[in-house]
Amino acid sequence: MGTLLDVNNLKTRFHTPEGTVYAVNGISFKIDEGETLALVGESGCGKSVSMLSILGLIVIPPGEIASGTAIYRGADLLKMEEIDLERIRGKEIAMIFQDSMTSLNPVLSIGRQITETLHTHMGMNHEQAVKRTIELLEWVGISDAHSRLGDYPHQYSGGMRQRVMIAMALACTPSILIADEPTTALDVTIQAQIVELVIRMREQMGMAMVWITHDLGVVAGLAERVNVMYAGFIVEEADVDTLYDDPRHPYTNSLLAALPRADRRRDHRLKSIPGAPPNLLVEPKGCPFAPRCEYARERCWDENPVLSVVGTKHRIACWVDIKTGDLR
Amino acid sequence: MTRYIIRRLIQAIPLLFIISAVLFVLMQNMGDPIATLGGRMVTRPADRQRLARQLGLDKPIYVQYLYWLIGNDWAKTDLDGDGIPETQGTRHGVLRGDFGTSLVNRGVPVVQVIADRLPNTLILMLTAEVVIIVGSLLVGVYSALRQYSLVDNFVTAVSFIGYSMPIFFIALMTMYIFSVNFKKWGLPYLPTVGMFDPNVGETFPQVVWHMILPVFSISFISYAAYSRYIRSTMLEVLSQDYIRTAKAKGLPKREITFIHALKNASLPIVTIVGLELPLLLGGAVVTERIFAWPGMGRLFLDHLERSDTPVVMGILMLIAVAVIVFQIITDVVYAWLDPRIRYH
Amino acid sequence: MSAQANLKAIPRLAPDEIESPPLSLGELTWRRFRRHKMAIFGVVVLILLIFYTFGGAFVVSEKYANQTETSLRLTGPSALHRFGTDTVGRDILARTIYGGQISLLIGLTAMTLETLVGILIGASAGYYGGWLDAILMRFTEAMLNIPQILLLLVMAKFFGGKIPNIPLLGRTFSGSVVAIILIIGFTSWPYLARIVRAEFLSIKENEFILAARATGTPPLQIIFRHILPNSIAPIVVSATLGVANAITLEAYISFLGLGVQPPTATWGNMLEGAYKYIESAPWLWVFPGTLIVLIVLAINFLGDGLRDALDPRSRTV
């Protein structure tokens, strides 16, 4: 399996009147063909910003991509001209977003919003585009598609809109689909339907996926590999099974421990993570999780740990071995 | 849709009645029309009384309003002052299209007095409106796309200043520069009086040439306000999620700006334009006086000063009707443009 | 488990202290306002103009401003008359000082009047709803359907000459000043009434209002203690811009001859008839006209800054 996307040391900042926000602080990861990677973390940890940076969707200014490379098929996306990026967006790398109501243009029909990508990227004429759009809509589970082309987003429910978004994103058969919390705003049952749909797509199309979420439950059924992020850093990388069975970073550990589980006692107290999320306005020094970490040592405050191997395809950014309590 | 229009029209009717009543009451104390009837001072009490009876001014206000509305040709008036009504009234009332006759232009029906001047104002208004829309769209969209650039800052500054200027100042300034000083410097200068040069006659080029300064004065303020508004609306639209989606789909910039963004931004703009159009009629008052343009604004002013109630009422009602009609048209156009309203 | 005890984090900074200290609403507003350089500029210009008009009264007497010297009529700016003289020989500089006082006075007073009426009507309609709302709104709509200038002109004619001159503080004010204040105030309130009503309608739905009602708070207290303070932002902005609007409107109708009558000067009536002398005496309209532009501009900047500071959601720039 070849590597499609190779991201190295990506740093993104925002210059605001209150100061500089250090949103992404040097993350690196690879996406191989057909692989599904989950990017997990709490709100504000930089998971969305990192993917938006790669696609050049960050507003500059006030944003700034301070450093990093994102090599896609041999070319660095971060250094590309806008006109070349336009050819990649939607065609090679597609993205879907969390809020389907605001992410779809309210005054254009859904048919139009799909056919336009086909016009732009696949050079189809109107007839061909309409035909393909109908196919796509049926495929994502919107029946009677041929009469739905003139519908508008506000006429649909959240789940149906998300299906439209997916159809729109997959119209030009991209190699990578980036999904930014697409199910977070949906009910659990609809959520399950969408996840099912996505799995079906993946089987049929074989595209790679980056699934951004803060919901560990969804990750389990969908991802192959997981990157856990905190304060703009990747703190743990593992295969999905390894992550759930053997989390090694204190943060991951706490996240999993905070999940309510059916196999625990009823009166088992849910463990929450003490403290507050980090202030991104200060330039990171030392491990960002140190203030909230029960294993924190002197070294954690002084030096930010880098990712190091702790098992098969399993890396963590931590000075402490949480199993023994000693420094690694 | 038709039901909606009809409903709005029906709603407008009581509104028009209220407006006409309010205006009518105001007009009654506006001065003494009898004193200036026909321009000559009428001093003999007997004459005054006769004129008062003739004009129906001796009746109580609500009766006058009634006559104004539905005429008095179904009643007899007492013209010779003997207490016995004997002469048939001649007015049909506003509801049948008779706005009475002008007190200043003796005997000329109000409708005609207005109709003579209305086209002149319309020429000015419509041209100004087109200039405003085209100009502010161009500038507004460009400024939004090139936010904080030199052009944007310059345009914002000019807009602010322009927006703060009273019309007569702009008119006077442009007059001073393009007419007085151009003349002094030997450059071709723009005319400042009237619609055309009486020596040449009312030809198309003449009217256009004379129109330049007045149209500029009227449109400058609105243009300043609109371009700022369009800029801010575009900026707001451009920051929406669906624009980010359009970018993520790799659509070309031009398509994103003019189709995805502009179509959304045009909605509030349509509302404003639609509502402003009849109000331009009011703004014309000052401009027409300065440039001696023979339009409705000037008519209003002249006849107001001479207490010509029927004409003034006629103009005001016309404008009120225009405002209401335009409101309805605007709402309809808005509903047509915005699918969210079309499909409740 | 003793190892655990050794792992106790050495507290450097508690997590909450790492974040920046919270600012009070006043501090936040001031910070945002300060960022808005144009608004600062507007305030400075405004203060300068106030100094000019009210401070200038200590330098030049009103009698001098009204003193006619027909032999000197229509002379351009000179050492004696810095801004030149008008059609009857009065010093324009002096007249702009006293005229400015009147213009500002009219602006502020008319604004106060329209704000009070607007709040009264908007609050009643918004809070009580029902038929009161229906009637008030019909009336408001009716007023909004007539262009304000035309309405002003008609009312100016209506009031024309009806109010006598008022001697106050040793000076005589033409009765038309009061008339103008009244008519501008009474024709400008619909805009504010609509805004206030909209605010009331939306705030009324909040739960803290329900709580107030449930504890038996009388309606007037609810309106003044709970709803009004929460809707203060658009009212303040509207009032600020209302001053500029009032000054402009006064200028318009005075320009057309139906506004403030002589001998009281305003920046507006100084321009009356100036267009007839456009070739020969531009100083007639340049000085008062520029002053009007300056003050309206300054107030617009100020209003814009206030709008950004008080309600960041409505950023227009």
Side-chain angles (χ1 to χ4, degrees):
Chain A
M1 292 274 219
T3 302
L4 279 176
L5 181 64
D6 188 349
V7 177
N8 196 25
N9 199 26
L10 174 64
K11 290 191 183 155
T12 305
R13 312 200 172 127
F14 292 94
H15 300 285
T16 71
E18 280 83 29
T20 306
V21 177
Y22 295 89
V24 180
N25 297 307
I27 65 171
S28 311
F29 61 90
K30 288 198 182 62
I31 299 175
D32 295 335
E33 273 175 44
E35 172 180 50
T36 302
L37 171 71
L39 216 48
V40 172
E42 55 195 34
S43 304
C45 69
K47 43 194 204 298
S48 298
V49 173
S50 49
M51 302 318 294
L52 289 170
S53 305
I54 292 172
L55 274 183
L57 292 175
I58 300 283
V59 181
I60 298 175
E64 179 207 351
I65 301 188
S67 77
T69 58
I71 313 284
Y72 177 78
R73 294 200 199 275
D76 186 1
L77 295 174
L78 299 177
K79 309 250 180 349
M80 253 187 212
E81 295 288 333
E82 186 72 13
I83 189 122
D84 299 314
L85 265 177
E86 278 173 14
R87 274 189 228 122
I88 296 201
R89 290 188 202 128
K91 173 110 177 32
E92 308 270 344
I93 307 180
M95 193 158 176
I96 61 179
F97 301 94
Q98 175 178 347
D99 190 343
S100 59
M101 185 70 234
T102 61
S103 297
L104 289 170
N105 196 325
V107 301
L108 296 175
S109 70
I110 59 161
R112 158 84 201 234
Q113 296 189 53
I114 301 181
T115 54
E116 61 187 358
T117 47
L118 294 168
H119 283 311
T120 308
H121 292 300
M122 315 284 271
M124 290 188 187
N125 64 28
H126 184 67
E127 254 181 61
Q128 294 168 321
V130 166
K131 192 154 162 283
R132 176 97 180 109
T133 303
I134 295 177
E135 273 171 26
L136 282 162
L137 286 172
E138 304 257 336
W139 194 36
V140 295
I142 295 183
S143 50
D144 266 338
H146 58 272
S147 57
R148 308 275 210 145
L149 292 176
D151 288 348
Y152 289 92
H154 69 277
Q155 292 172 278
Y156 284 5
S157 69
M160 282 176 77
R161 281 197 298 266
Q162 204 54 274
R163 289 174 195 266
V164 171
M165 285 263 278
I166 294 174
M168 212 163 69
L170 297 178
C172 305
T173 51
S175 322
I176 305 180
L177 172 68
I178 305 176
D180 190 352
E181 304 207 53
T183 55
T184 307
L186 303 170
D187 310 332
V188 180
T189 42
I190 311 287
Q191 202 169 336
Q193 286 176 11
I194 300 291
V195 171
E196 219 183 274
L197 171 66
V198 169
I199 293 177
R200 188 159 47 93
M201 314 252 108
R202 185 178 59 183
E203 273 162 27
Q204 289 184 12
M205 288 177 60
M207 75 244 171
M209 271 206 313
V210 179
W211 194 273
I212 302 174
T213 180
H214 60 259
D215 184 344
L216 286 166
V218 169
V219 168
L222 194 53
E224 288 151 15
R225 286 190 51 78
V226 183
N227 284 358
V228 180
M229 281 184 73
Y230 187 81
F233 294 97
I234 295 182
V235 296
E236 183 154 6
E237 299 171 346
D239 289 339
V240 62
D241 295 324
T242 316
L243 193 85
Y244 280 89
D245 290 335
D246 187 22
R248 293 301 198 94
H249 192 277
Y251 177 57
T252 319
N253 201 23
S254 308
L255 276 182
L256 288 167
L259 277 179
R261 286 169 61 151
D263 59 343
R264 295 235 182 93
R265 287 170 51 133
R266 188 117 55 86
D267 58 357
H268 175 88
R269 285 190 118 177
L270 290 178
K271 221 170 147 211
S272 62
I273 310 178
N279 179 11
L280 296 171
L281 281 169
V282 297
E283 187 151 10
K285 182 181 181 303
C287 176
F289 191 60
R292 308 166 78 180
C293 182
E294 56 181 308
Y295 303 98
R297 309 282 218 100
E298 181 105 26
R299 191 174 186 197
C300 302
W301 295 93
D302 293 326
E303 235 184 290
N304 192 6
V306 288
L307 283 166
S308 54
V309 177
V310 78
T312 331
K313 293 212 276 182
H314 188 178
R315 298 199 296 173
I316 61 171
C318 187
W319 297 127
V320 174
D321 183 343
I322 63 177
K323 288 206 182 128
T324 63
D326 295 324
L327 286 173
R328 287 171 58 225
Chain B
M1 185 58 78
T2 6
R3 234 179 318 157
Y4 177 72
I5 300 180
I6 294 181
R7 188 157 42 100
R8 288 297 302 273
L9 284 171
I10 295 181
Q11 273 176 351
I13 294 179
L15 201 57
L16 282 171
F17 274 110
I18 299 179
I19 294 177
S20 61
V22 167
L23 290 175
F24 196 82
V25 167
L26 278 181
M27 312 264 7
Q28 294 319 303
N29 298 330
M30 228 179 38
D32 193 3
I34 301 181
T36 58
L37 189 61
R40 295 185 48 202
M41 295 294 290
V42 182
T43 48
R44 285 195 336 213
D47 286 339
R48 294 177 76 102
Q49 277 175 23
R50 183 171 50 82
L51 274 172
R53 281 194 302 271
Q54 217 169 32
L55 297 172
L57 293 172
D58 53 336
K59 297 271 192 301
I61 261 200
Y62 53 87
V63 176
Q64 285 190 49
Y65 182 64
L66 193 66
Y67 282 174
W68 181 78
L69 261 187
I70 58 179
N72 61 4
D73 55 353
W74 44 271
K76 294 187 193 279
T77 51
D78 171 27
L79 270 188
D80 49 19
D82 57 6
I84 307 168
E86 78 298 315
T87 324
Q88 192 76 11
T90 50
R91 292 163 50 180
H92 304 293
V94 163
L95 291 180
R96 279 184 282 165
D98 177 10
F99 276 82
T101 58
S102 164
L103 297 174
V104 168
N105 306 1
R106 248 172 315 183
V108 179
V110 165
V111 177
Q112 188 178 333
V113 172
I114 297 180
D116 280 342
R117 297 293 196 93
L118 185 58
N120 299 339
T121 300
L122 282 179
I123 296 175
L124 222 50
M125 290 299 114
L126 292 174
T127 316
E129 191 65 32
V130 169
V131 165
I132 293 173
I133 295 179
V134 170
S136 54
L137 265 178
L138 284 174
V139 172
V141 171
Y142 186 82
S143 294
L145 291 177
R146 300 261 181 279
Q147 209 184 349
Y148 303 130
S149 69
L150 201 61
V151 173
D152 179 33
N153 284 333
F154 176 72
V155 165
T156 306
V158 168
S159 297
F160 245 118
I161 297 177
Y163 177 67
S164 310
M165 280 194 195
I167 285 190
F168 49 79
F169 194 71
I170 296 177
L172 289 171
M173 246 183 23
T174 52
M175 247 172 131
Y176 189 63
I177 299 175
F178 294 104
S179 189
V180 174
N181 280 348
F182 269 31
K183 196 175 183 186
K184 259 203 294 196
W185 302 333
L187 292 166
Y189 61 95
L190 289 165
T192 58
V193 174
M195 236 172 99
F196 53 87
D197 184 350
N199 296 337
V200 182
E202 191 173 354
T203 63
F204 184 70
Q206 270 291 307
V207 174
V208 170
W209 189 236
H210 277 76
M211 217 164 56
I212 297 179
L213 282 182
V215 165
F216 181 80
S217 305
I218 296 179
S219 40
F220 192 66
I221 298 183
S222 297
Y223 157 82
Y226 281 11
S227 51
R228 278 193 75 219
Y229 190 70
I230 292 179
R231 177 184 181 275
S232 69
T233 309
M234 272 299 274
L235 281 175
E236 209 186 293
V237 165
L238 287 171
S239 69
Q240 294 295 314
D241 284 348
Y242 52 82
I243 298 295
R244 184 178 59 177
T245 308
K247 273 184 90 177
K249 291 200 293 199
L251 297 174
K253 200 139 186 244
R254 183 160 301 151
E255 195 174 327
I256 299 182
T257 310
F258 290 107
I259 298 185
H260 282 254
L262 200 53
K263 204 160 178 231
N264 276 282
S266 62
L267 294 173
I269 294 169
V270 160
T271 314
I272 299 236
V273 165
L275 298 178
E276 170 113 354
L277 200 59
L279 297 183
L280 281 182
L281 283 168
V285 172
V286 171
T287 318
E288 287 182 10
R289 153 137 323 170
I290 295 182
F291 291 103
W293 188 271
M296 253 177 49
R298 215 171 128 208
L299 185 74
F300 180 80
L301 214 47
D302 291 341
H303 287 248
L304 179 67
E305 275 166 359
R306 293 190 276 180
S307 305
D308 188 351
T309 318
V311 171
V312 174
M313 274 301 275
I315 296 180
L316 285 172
M317 288 313 296
L318 176 65
I319 294 183
V321 167
V323 169
I324 294 179
V325 165
F326 268 95
Q327 272 175 2
I328 298 180
I329 294 181
T330 307
D331 283 348
V332 168
V333 170
Y334 194 97
W336 177 64
L337 280 179
D338 186 351
R340 286 168 291 189
I341 300 197
R342 230 189 301 160
Y343 305 96
H344 286 288
Chain C
M1 283 295 118
S2 59
Q4 289 282 21
N6 291 344
L7 291 174
K8 213 57 175 108
I10 304 166
R12 300 292 170 92
L13 285 164
D16 311 286
E17 285 172 42
I18 300 180
E19 295 177 20
S20 44
L23 298 165
S24 73
L25 188 58
E27 281 172 302
L28 261 174
T29 307
W30 173 242
R31 259 209 193 172
R32 280 201 285 263
F33 188 77
R34 206 180 51 191
R35 274 213 306 264
H36 209 288
K37 298 183 212 82
M38 290 200 299
I40 304 290
F41 176 73
V43 172
V44 167
V45 171
L46 205 52
I47 294 180
L48 285 175
L49 284 170
I50 295 178
F51 265 133
Y52 177 73
T53 52
F54 287 95
F58 293 108
V59 180
V60 177
S61 75
E62 194 191 6
K63 264 182 70 180
Y64 181 68
N66 291 340
Q67 185 187 342
T68 64
E69 255 198 69
T70 40
S71 58
L72 280 176
R73 61 191 292 269
L74 291 178
T75 51
S78 61
L80 183 58
H81 299 282
R82 285 296 163 83
F83 283 178
T85 58
D86 68 0
T87 51
V88 288
R90 291 180 289 212
D91 179 36
I92 291 187
L93 178 70
R95 284 181 79 73
T96 56
I97 291 178
Y98 284 92
Q101 292 178 4
I102 305 291
S103 294
L104 279 171
L105 176 73
I106 292 180
L108 285 168
T109 327
M111 175 277 280
T112 312
L113 181 61
E114 84 186 50
T115 306
L116 287 172
V117 175
I119 292 181
L120 183 67
I121 295 189
S124 315
Y127 187 77
Y128 290 107
W131 56 265
L132 183 63
D133 182 22
I135 294 183
L136 286 176
M137 276 307 110
R138 284 272 148 266
F139 185 53
T140 310
E141 238 188 283
M143 295 222 40
L144 282 170
N145 274 330
I146 311 169
Q148 197 180 2
I149 293 199
L150 300 182
L151 197 55
L152 276 177
L153 289 170
V154 171
M155 288 183 79
K157 196 93 171 57
F158 172 50
F159 276 103
K162 291 241 171 84
I163 303 188
N165 292 352
I166 304 170
L168 186 69
L169 299 173
R171 290 162 55 174
T172 312
F173 293 91
S174 163
S176 51
V177 172
V178 178
I180 298 297
I181 293 176
L182 286 175
I183 64 182
I184 293 182
F186 280 123
T187 51
S188 307
W189 60 261
Y191 302 97
L192 185 64
R194 243 197 336 198
I195 297 175
V196 170
R197 173 179 177 269
E199 285 285 311
F200 267 68
L201 282 178
S202 77
I203 295 179
K204 205 174 59 162
E205 299 306 317
N206 281 317
E207 291 193 344
F208 67 89
I209 300 295
L210 182 61
R213 285 180 31 207
T215 55
T217 320
L220 270 169
Q221 218 178 58
I222 295 186
I223 293 180
F224 285 103
R225 193 86 73 79
H226 295 288
I227 307 187
L228 211 46
N230 275 301
S231 55
I232 206 77
I235 294 179
V236 166
V237 174
S238 180
T240 309
L241 297 175
V243 177
N245 198 38
I247 294 179
T248 308
L249 285 172
E250 182 272 317
Y252 273 85
I253 49 177
S254 293
F255 174 78
L256 293 171
L258 286 166
V260 177
Q261 304 298 324
T264 310
T266 71
W267 287 340
N269 74 7
M270 287 172 74
L271 287 154
E272 189 191 344
Y275 63 98
K276 297 200 202 87
Y277 297 96
I278 188 163
E279 264 195 65
S280 44
W283 58 87
L284 275 181
W285 55 269
V286 166
F287 296 110
T290 312
L291 284 167
I292 296 180
V293 174
L294 276 177
I295 199 168
V296 171
L297 193 63
I299 297 179
N300 276 340
F301 279 164
L302 176 63
D304 216 49
L306 278 174
R307 186 191 287 133
D308 282 351
L310 290 172
D311 184 13
R313 281 171 292 141
S314 70
R315 275 201 76 86
T316 51
V317 178

